[in-house]
Amino acid sequence: MIEIRDNLYVLNTNNTTYAFRVMETGHLEHLYYGSKINIADPDSLVEKHKFQPGNSIAYDSEHAEFTLEDMCLEMSGYGKGDIREPFVEVVAADGSTTTDFVFESAEKLAGKEALETLPSSYDNAKEVETLRIELKDKNNGYTLRLNYYVFADTDVISRDAKFINTSDEEVKLRRLMSAQLDLNKAGLVVSSFHGGWVKEMQKYDTTVNIGKFVNSSYTGSSSNRSNPFIMVSDANTSAEYGDCYGFNLVYSGNHYEAVEVNAYDKTRIVTGINPQGFEFTIAPGESFEAPEAIMTYSHDGHDGMSRHMHDFVKEHIVRGEWKDKERPLLLNSWEASYFNISESSLVKLAKMGKDVGVELFVMDDGWFGERHDDKRALGDWTPNKKKLPGGVDGLCRKINKLGLDFGIWIEPEMVNVDSDLYRAHPEWSIEIPGKHHSEGRNQRILDFANPEVVDYITESMVKVLGSANIAYVKWDMNRIFSDYYSQYLPKDRQGELSHRYIMGVYKLAKNLTEKFPHILFEGCASGGNRFDLGALCYFPQIWGSDNTDAISRLSIQNGYSYGYPLNTVTAHVSSCPNHQTLRSTPLATRFAVASFGVLGYETNLCDLSKDELKEIKAQIELYKKYRKTWQFGDFYRVEYGNHVMWNVVSKDKKQAIGMLVQKEVMPNEMYACFRAKGLDPDMKYHFTNIKTEYNVKLFGDLINTAAPFHVKPGSLMQNLIAKFVKMPGEVEDYVCYGSAIMNEGVRLHQSFVGTGYDGDVRFFPDYSGRLYFMEAVED
Ligand code: GLA
């Protein structure tokens, strides 16, 4: 996989090649990243430089033809003529900032070592090779270690970097990126994913012809404002065809991705820790590790890139007992009761859950200290005895007795001023003493840069999680940073706070996941404010968004799907009108969308009608039947517009499930065709939908076109008729080859257009959704 030939380094995965060389000057020239190629004469890939352009810096008199600004490089220092985004920025003891890193040594290693201070990917018994390059700074003698990891199986090459202060003096590290990729072209399209609370992962495409596009976060978390995952593709790349690169960072803190095009039409992509506000003091002999960056390339468009990322996350990021285990179907108490919980109300809700078939009951916020609203008690992790007279254990036993597993909500990184913890340790909170503090959700962030705080919280969490038979934990984090200041760090080391904070979070996550390996941990940060590969190293699944509206979820989940597999994104069916949008959508649509994630329910089942409970019971049965495919199959985006179509295919391709959701009904547009991707073209599939019936009330006063007497909408008579008369739904039932479903699609029944309705017509008003099932059949 890794080939070293003189000064040439070639990294091959199953379908891609990455190549660079050591130049005459000792710098690393990037030569190629793309579809797999064979390299005979590397000179054919080397850019030919003879005379440097005017008004630029010649590297040195011996190599006057080289101006570093006009080279594709594997990493860039600062101050030697390359005026683009640097890879590394260091302030030397004399105040100078120029560095000049040149080749020192290269080594090929079998396997992959874990990072020491941060989570990172792992080989998972697959063949992985490491190329370790060491560079030496000609000015100050620092060492920079670049690691390249080659994951042949998933077509991923990942990189990380380590700065080692091999000089005699203390330095300030202002930036250390994780990866840099210089491409000899311009006009590439950056797809990045932005939003905010309840609107995560909205996809934006930006063409970078010149100048710089930055995707970064300064929230203290990877953030819902800008996810660290980005795609970079050619202008004409489509879903299925063309060049597409994907980048992600195994990091949950402030991140930075820049795509810059310079005067020579070269594109530089860097990704790493956000340099804003970042400054680390490194003493002689000390080092600093940058997080691992993930890169993949596909010639098969965005879909191909997504498949690599999905496989990589499933195989080399997610770990532990739950990695390949079907995830339980849960019922969460939050939208059912918010803070208003008690042992008896929770048991009642759980019982309803058991009746419809859920497997795990989760007690959300409100169970500890004086937590009656979001203004107090974070930090006081002891059960509120009025709400839970038997403590967590008492409730857990009752839930277990119902035949359900039990899960709990925690928010370990936070404290309210109105809490015993804050009263005892105001110095443990991130705030500037004596200055006004701007709060978020009435709470403050604990200073996880302080090891004493991490130890204390570890102890309180171990107490909680060890106090009962807890099977699941929802680990929340509900505010972003403000008033950055650690009362623990010295005043000249405040630039270390955000990175040290996140290392403290990882320490706690490691402590708890190692101590409780059976517990399924779900990450959450007001929904998707910390949805990233660092979090996924500890939490196999993450709450995708506090927005449970099925229509909003279409773009949110579609956004996640570019970089993250379905089984990392949790999704719940909730009540209507929806609590975030007040929109009402059919229960079938809510289920269809949520089942394309790890399914759960979050609604007060005690308030639902018999019909709704019956429908939910049937949904849960269906989900369990197809769960393996949904959670571990290959996911495909088929269409995203007014109609959204997705499908998922089992690894053996014998089973597939498709989803079609319509946002807005269009008059006199009655035809729709369901197309799938990823099926076996030569396999025959039995294509079916869910047989269903509709309440006549959904047809309003159209009932009068069929009723022998006049029925007033909303009248007792209408209710009575609705009790006995159901309108039939369409039945789709075909046998077709995979090739036919993928190329032409299945032409569905005509939808209602105002001229007649019977069981051969698709009832398809606004927000309608359908699931289609494809099962392989023998000839
Ligand atoms: C956050 C989470 C919600 C819920 C509440 C509880 O907003 O995202 O799902 O757990 O906190 O306070």
Side-chain angles (χ1 to χ4, degrees), residues 197 332 334-335 338-339 364-366 371 374 409 411 441 443 474 476-478 524-528 543 545-546 572 602:
W197 179 64
N332 178 297
W334 181 240
E335 287 196 9
Y338 294 103
F339 293 100
D364 209 280
D365 199 352
R371 185 77 171 164
D374 65 9
W409 177 97
E411 193 176 0
R441 209 192 188 204
Q443 63 198 49
K474 177 174 171 189
D476 211 338
M477 193 276 191
N478 278 316
C524 174
S526 308
W543 181 223
S545 176
D546 273 358
H572 296 173
E602 188 169 335

Side-chain angles (χ1 to χ4, degrees), residues 588-756:
T589 306
R590 280 175 267 157
F591 169 65
V593 178
S595 60
F596 274 79
V598 176
L599 179 71
Y601 285 77
E602 188 169 335
T603 181
N604 194 345
L605 295 176
C606 306
D607 289 348
L608 298 190
S609 69
K610 268 199 186 130
D611 280 355
E612 286 170 313
L613 290 171
K614 197 171 139 209
E615 193 174 337
I616 288 177
K617 201 171 176 176
Q619 291 175 345
I620 288 177
E621 224 176 276
L622 195 74
Y623 187 78
K624 285 179 182 166
K625 181 170 167 210
Y626 290 94
R627 169 161 47 190
K628 189 150 183 244
T629 297
W630 253 315
Q631 295 186 353
F632 296 95
D634 291 326
F635 172 77
Y636 297 86
R637 293 171 297 272
V638 182
E639 190 175 317
Y640 192 83
N642 189 39
H643 280 175
V644 179
M645 280 189 225
W646 296 331
N647 75 279
V648 62
V649 184
S650 64
K651 285 285 176 197
D652 63 6
K653 295 195 183 281
K654 287 192 172 150
Q655 190 177 72
I657 309 145
M659 183 206 78
L660 164 64
V661 171
Q662 168 172 271
K663 292 180 190 160
E664 194 188 344
V665 65
M666 295 295 165
N668 198 5
E669 287 191 10
M670 53 213 148
Y671 304 117
C673 197
F674 181 81
R675 220 160 57 78
K677 290 182 181 175
L679 303 175
D680 179 340
D682 302 321
M683 212 177 257
K684 259 192 210 162
Y685 293 90
H686 185 199
F687 182 100
T688 53
N689 65 338
I690 302 171
K691 322 269 173 291
T692 191
E693 289 178 325
Y694 296 98
N695 190 323
V696 283
K697 284 162 99 178
L698 292 168
F699 292 78
D701 66 357
L702 274 175
I703 192 172
N704 288 313
T705 58
F709 47 85
H710 187 78
V711 182
K712 193 171 161 197
S715 64
L716 277 178
M717 178 55 73
Q718 193 201 25
N719 284 336
L720 197 67
I721 294 172
K723 229 174 153 181
F724 297 105
V725 182
K726 300 275 182 239
M727 302 296 277
E730 87 284 7
V731 173
E732 312 284 5
D733 194 333
Y734 318 97
V735 172
C736 10
Y737 278 104
S739 56
I741 307 177
M742 292 193 290
N743 288 299
E744 179 62 11
V746 172
R747 302 204 163 277
L748 303 171
H749 280 79
Q750 174 190 333
S751 66
F752 177 77
V753 284
T755 47

Side-chain angles (χ1 to χ4, degrees), residues 264-484:
Y264 304 101
D265 276 352
K266 289 185 164 67
T267 299
R268 167 163 297 172
I269 302 153
V270 294
T271 170
I273 296 175
N274 193 346
Q276 186 183 345
F278 170 92
E279 188 179 76
F280 248 74
T281 303
I282 319 274
E286 283 183 357
S287 58
F288 181 89
E289 272 182 338
E292 182 184 7
I294 310 302
M295 307 187 288
T296 191
Y297 162 85
S298 173
H299 185 58
D300 298 326
H302 306 132
D303 288 4
M305 190 284 312
S306 288
R307 282 197 294 280
H308 297 174
M309 280 294 184
H310 290 182
D311 288 344
F312 181 78
V313 173
K314 286 197 260 191
E315 286 305 316
H316 299 290
I317 292 288
V318 175
R319 62 201 72 191
E321 281 186 21
W322 285 96
K323 176 182 171 294
D324 298 318
K325 228 169 144 174
E326 290 186 27
R327 311 287 166 74
L329 219 153
L330 64 79
L331 172 65
N332 178 297
S333 68
W334 181 240
E335 287 196 9
S337 21
Y338 294 103
F339 293 100
N340 188 15
I341 56 169
S342 65
E343 185 184 280
S344 58
S345 69
L346 291 174
V347 171
K348 195 168 153 214
L349 182 61
K351 167 127 197 5
M352 293 294 290
K354 175 69 188 170
D355 290 347
V356 292
V358 305
E359 298 156 325
L360 164 71
F361 180 77
V362 180
M363 170 174 68
D364 209 280
D365 199 352
W367 59 266
F368 51 91
E370 294 306 312
R371 185 77 171 164
H372 309 299
D373 52 34
D374 65 9
K375 294 191 177 56
R376 62 205 92 239
L378 286 171
D380 299 343
W381 297 109
T382 43
N384 179 304
K385 286 285 181 178
K386 276 201 194 115
K387 295 182 188 181
L388 304 180
V392 174
D393 186 41
L395 173 65
C396 178
R397 283 173 193 276
K398 292 194 171 160
I399 302 292
N400 287 167
K401 221 167 148 195
L402 292 173
L404 293 175
D405 282 336
F406 175 72
I408 196 168
W409 177 97
I410 56 172
E411 193 176 0
E413 300 154 67
M414 297 289 154
V415 67
N416 286 113
V417 169
D418 186 0
S419 68
D420 292 342
L421 180 62
Y422 188 87
R423 282 183 281 274
H425 287 290
E427 79 285 5
W428 281 3
S429 138
I430 292 180
E431 61 185 68
I432 314 164
K435 302 272 163 65
H436 168 257
H437 185 84
S438 300
E439 301 208 341
R441 209 192 188 204
N442 313 303
Q443 63 198 49
R444 298 190 185 186
I445 304 176
L446 286 171
D447 183 2
F448 270 43
N450 180 349
E452 205 191 336
V453 177
V454 178
D455 287 348
Y456 173 84
I457 294 293
T458 301
E459 225 175 88
S460 5
M461 287 301 137
V462 167
K463 231 185 245 165
V464 173
L465 305 188
S467 72
N469 182 24
I470 291 173
Y472 160 105
V473 167
K474 177 174 171 189
W475 177 321
D476 211 338
M477 193 276 191
N478 278 316
R479 64 158 290 181
I480 63 170
F481 277 55
S482 69
D483 305 277
Y484 277 80

Side-chain angles (χ1 to χ4, degrees), residues 72-371:
C72 285
L73 298 168
E74 286 295 306
M75 68 74 50
S76 272
Y78 196 69
K80 296 302 286 180
D82 188 348
I83 48 175
R84 294 168 288 178
E85 283 282 328
F87 188 88
V88 58
E89 241 183 290
V90 196
V91 187
D94 63 5
S96 67
T97 52
T98 296
T99 51
D100 189 15
F101 286 95
V102 292
F103 182 83
E104 177 86 359
S105 65
E107 191 184 359
K108 186 172 130 175
L109 306 160
K112 177 182 190 293
E113 274 176 21
L115 289 183
E116 282 164 27
T117 58
L118 292 166
S120 51
S121 68
Y122 65 114
D123 61 14
N124 191 20
K126 301 276 174 359
E127 205 194 338
V128 179
E129 281 184 359
T130 301
L131 174 63
R132 176 165 294 168
I133 303 278
E134 286 210 345
L135 307 170
K136 196 90 195 171
D137 171 36
K138 281 163 76 176
N139 273 19
N140 306 288
Y142 314 137
T143 302
L144 189 63
R145 183 178 290 167
L146 304 179
N147 287 315
Y148 294 78
Y149 308 102
V150 184
F151 296 84
D153 62 331
T154 52
D155 285 317
V156 159
I157 290 173
S158 73
R159 286 182 65 171
D160 61 41
K162 187 175 193 170
F163 174 86
I164 308 162
N165 185 359
T166 34
S167 79
D168 302 332
E169 287 171 311
E170 190 175 91
V171 300
K172 297 270 186 201
L173 183 67
R174 283 201 181 149
R175 142 190 316 232
L176 180 62
M177 289 291 113
S178 299
Q180 169 177 324
L181 179 66
D182 284 2
L183 298 171
N184 222 329
K185 47 185 161 182
L188 296 172
V189 179
V190 185
S191 304
S192 47
F193 298 83
H194 306 271
W197 179 64
V198 299
K199 52 174 187 177
E200 293 86 348
M201 293 304 280
Q202 307 300 309
K203 178 171 170 280
Y204 290 82
D205 295 334
T206 311
T207 303
V208 190
N209 288 311
I210 193 71
K212 194 186 298 180
F213 173 81
V214 170
N215 177 69
S216 69
S217 78
Y218 194 56
T219 54
S221 55
S222 49
S223 94
N224 50 24
R225 315 303 202 269
S226 298
N227 193 274
F229 165 72
I230 60 166
M231 302 191 289
V232 177
S233 21
D234 273 348
N236 55 6
T237 294
S238 65
E240 289 168 51
Y241 305 102
D243 292 346
C244 180
Y245 298 92
F247 301 87
N248 210 341
L249 201 61
V250 188
Y251 193 57
S252 309
N254 295 333
H255 63 91
Y256 182 83
E257 291 72 44
V259 180
E260 181 179 15
V261 176
N262 73 356
Y264 304 101
D265 276 352
K266 289 185 164 67
T267 299
R268 167 163 297 172
I269 302 153
V270 294
T271 170
I273 296 175
N274 193 346
Q276 186 183 345
F278 170 92
E279 188 179 76
F280 248 74
T281 303
I282 319 274
E286 283 183 357
S287 58
F288 181 89
E289 272 182 338
E292 182 184 7
I294 310 302
M295 307 187 288
T296 191
Y297 162 85
S298 173
H299 185 58
D300 298 326
H302 306 132
D303 288 4
M305 190 284 312
S306 288
R307 282 197 294 280
H308 297 174
M309 280 294 184
H310 290 182
D311 288 344
F312 181 78
V313 173
K314 286 197 260 191
E315 286 305 316
H316 299 290
I317 292 288
V318 175
R319 62 201 72 191
E321 281 186 21
W322 285 96
K323 176 182 171 294
D324 298 318
K325 228 169 144 174
E326 290 186 27
R327 311 287 166 74
L329 219 153
L330 64 79
L331 172 65
N332 178 297
S333 68
W334 181 240
E335 287 196 9
S337 21
Y338 294 103
F339 293 100
N340 188 15
I341 56 169
S342 65
E343 185 184 280
S344 58
S345 69
L346 291 174
V347 171
K348 195 168 153 214
L349 182 61
K351 167 127 197 5
M352 293 294 290
K354 175 69 188 170
D355 290 347
V356 292
V358 305
E359 298 156 325
L360 164 71
F361 180 77
V362 180
M363 170 174 68
D364 209 280
D365 199 352
W367 59 266
F368 51 91
E370 294 306 312
R371 185 77 171 164

